[in-house]
Structures are given as structure tokens and as C-alpha cells.
Amino acid sequence: MKVNFRKICLGNLLMFISQYMLIPILPVIMAEELNLSIATTGIMFLVTVLGMILVGPFYSYLMDAYKRKSLCIFTFAIVFIATIGYTLVHRPLELLLLCLVQGFAFGIANSSIITLGIDVNISDNRSKGNVILGWFTRLGMILGVGLGSTVYLNYNFETLITASVLVGCVGLLFIAALHIPFRAPIGMPVCSLDRFFLPHTFLFVLNMILIAFVPGVLFPLIHFKMGDTFLLDEWTVPYFAIAGGAFLLSVFLVQALKKQSLLIQALLGMTTMLCAICSLILFDSIAGQLLSAILLGIGLSIITPAFLFFFINLSSHCQRSTANTTHLLSWKIGVSLGVATSCYLTVNESSGAAFRTALYASALAIIFFIVISYPYYQKKKVR
């Protein structure tokens, strides 16, 4: 089972790297191809989230009616076909439909891989397995943005698409190599919130959206290059490549913080993110940008497992998969809203306005957590 779980984690990591390589790039490229404003294409990509929400109520039925491994492979294959499709788009309607299809497929694939991660773990290890898989998911996101920006800056969009698909295909090979025991269908209803959304975690959903909004605002700014804001001097090493490295290396710090309460971990993670944005605003230098990237990577690495534990601790024994999916959906919504907001603000105002918006969101996330989310958690937690 341990070997299977490692394959799931690696496959999940590579598939998220594959998709997040494109997030900071696509709004700009599609704007150029379709002769639209970047603000418009940034908002259009919110349709991907809409697709995930629309298909969400059918997750449980699909997981029950079809083989989960086959469903995961099939839907991720659709995601990669849609990725190639971005090179063929010529009309805004085609882009919207492509985003919608990719949202459908990506949502089902995410839910199925979370379910597979639970299937291969014994009951006592499933909460821990959820957190580990969630950490690999967030690592894939931040490394994907860093890698995608690096490839785009050094090569071109076609190379980026090729790299994205190749990385995703390697991830699919890990999933294809899994051995999943047969599970007989139990007759789930066609439409339900199971494996999709936990209604009683809605306050933490709002809190997660605020937190994920912050890196989302920063993702697209690599294109605008306001004074080479996200380049280290003359090196083509983007901001999020540094942040991704800090995220990966801070795993040792996260291990040391396990003895602290979830309250301390969450506040430390959010405060570190707030300091990262302050560094961008206050220090107009390479050193300030480097410090910001490191702080953001560390902050995200701390906040990821802490908040996932909040979702898991608010769920019952049979709802851990739903808790993980709800947590992931919150991140996706927050990141997508951040990207759309960044595209709009940077085009219509300046990158400084985007930084200030990220700062306000960081501060609001901390206040919301202290005043609303955490008191609610203390009253409603299951374990």
C-alpha cells in the first residue's frame, strides 16, 4: 500500500505541475491570439472553476459507478487534450468551451485521485494520507507556476505546451501503474454533495479563498515585467521558481511545527505570507523580491497542511475525501479569482494596485480567521 500511495503522490504532483505551468501564461497568450484585453481573458478563465462546480454534485456517483483508476486516467487525458487545444483556439467562444470542458475533467480527476489516495491507505492512516497528498498538490501548484514561467521566459509558448503535456503524461504513467483492489458499487445517488463539498465548512472555504487569492494575484505578473519585478537581475529565474524552492525546503520547518497547535501554525503561515507581500511593496530591490519569494514559499508550506487539518477535523470518518475536495476547490476558486483580479488591475491601473490588493486580502484572511473561523472550529470540530 505504501508503494501505491507514493505513486499517487508523485502522479498527483506531476499532473498539478503540468496544469499550473500554464496558469500565469494563458491569459496573456490568449489575449494576443484572440485580440482581447488581458483583463477579459483573465476573467474568462474563471469558467474553468465554473466547470468544476457544475460537475461537482456528480463526483460521488461517478466514483461509485466506474473504476476510479480508469476514471482518473480518462479525465486527466481529457485535461491534456484540452491543453493542446489552446494552441488551436481562434474565437472567444472556443476558449470558453475549452475552459468549461477542462474544468469538468479537472474536477473529476482531482476528486478521483483523492479517493484513490484514501483507498490505498488503511483507516488509521487516512487523515495523515490526506494531508500528505494535499501537500504534494500545493507543491505541484507552486512548482508548476515557477517552472512554467521559467520555460516561457527562456523559450516560447509552444515549448511550454509541449513541456506541460510531457510532464502530465509522466504523471499519468504513475497512476496507470497503480494496483487498486476491486470495490463493488454501493448504489450512490446520481446527484449529491458527497466527495464534493462539506456545507458546514463554509467559513473555512471563505478563509481559504482569501488565502489562495494572494498567490493567485501574483501568478500573472511575470508577463508585465514592471521594472523586471519578477526577474532576479538579468537571470531568467522568475519569482515563483524561488518561492517553489522555499516551499520544498521548508518541509523541515513544517515538521518542527507539528508540536504546535493548529492555531499557531495557521497564524504563523498567514503572517509570513503577509510579510512576503509587505516586502514586495516596501523594498524596491532584488533583495526585497528575493526575500518576498522565500517568505511566500515558507508561508504557503505552513498554511497548506494546517488548513487541511481544519477541514478534516470538521468532517466525520466517512467525509475525509469530501473535506479534501472542498479544501482543494477553495484553493482553486481563490487562485482563479486572484489571477482574474491581477489581470484586471495590472492592465487598468498598475502592478502596485495588485500588490496592495494582495496585502489587503492577506490581512483580511488573518482577521477573518481570528474573529470568525477559529471560534467556529472550536465549537464544531469532530476530532
Side-chain angles (χ1 to χ4, degrees), residues 14 29-30 72-73 117 126 153 214 229 233 249 304 307 325 340:
L14 291 171
I29 297 298
M30 290 297 100
C72 182
I73 293 173
R126 285 177 178 173
L153 287 170
V214 176
T229 301
D233 202 10
L249 293 176
T304 295
F307 258 75
T325 307

Side-chain angles (χ1 to χ4, degrees), residues 46 82 116 148 151 165 178 194 213 229 239 247 267 313 319 370 380:
L46 288 173
L116 288 173
V151 172
V165 173
L178 291 172
D194 187 37
F213 180 86
T229 301
Y239 178 94
F247 185 103
L267 288 175
N313 290 347
Q319 293 178 321
I370 295 172
K380 299 293 185 179

Side-chain angles (χ1 to χ4, degrees), residues 24 56 64 76 80 92 107 136 146 188 211 255 317 325 327 356 373:
D64 184 58
F76 263 122
F80 300 142
F136 273 96
M188 296 297 296
I211 293 169
Q255 290 293 323
H317 177 78
T325 307
H327 178 256
R356 290 192 297 274
S373 298

Side-chain angles (χ1 to χ4, degrees), residues 332-354:
K332 181 65 176 178
I333 293 172
V335 166
S336 299
L337 288 173
V339 169
T341 301
S342 180
C343 289
Y344 176 81
L345 289 177
T346 309
V347 170
N348 292 284
E349 297 185 37
S350 67
S351 58

Side-chain angles (χ1 to χ4, degrees), residues 110-188:
N110 288 339
S111 181
S112 61
I113 204 166
I114 290 170
T115 303
L116 288 173
I118 290 175
D119 286 346
V120 300
N121 273 305
I122 61 175
S123 181
D124 291 343
N125 290 341
R126 285 177 178 173
S127 292
K128 181 181 178 181
N130 262 320
V131 173
I132 293 172
L133 187 61
W135 187 86
F136 273 96
T137 297
R138 242 57 62 189
L139 177 62
M141 292 177 180
I142 194 167
L143 288 182
V145 173
L147 180 59
S149 300
T150 302
V151 172
Y152 177 74
L153 287 170
N154 288 280
Y155 299 98
N156 52 45
F157 180 62
E158 289 72 21
T159 303
L160 176 64
I161 291 290
T162 302
S164 171
V165 173
L166 287 176
V167 170
C169 287
V170 174
L172 271 184
L173 291 177
F174 280 105
I175 303 301
L178 291 172
H179 173 69
I180 305 297
F182 172 75
R183 293 181 181 270
I186 59 176
M188 296 297 296

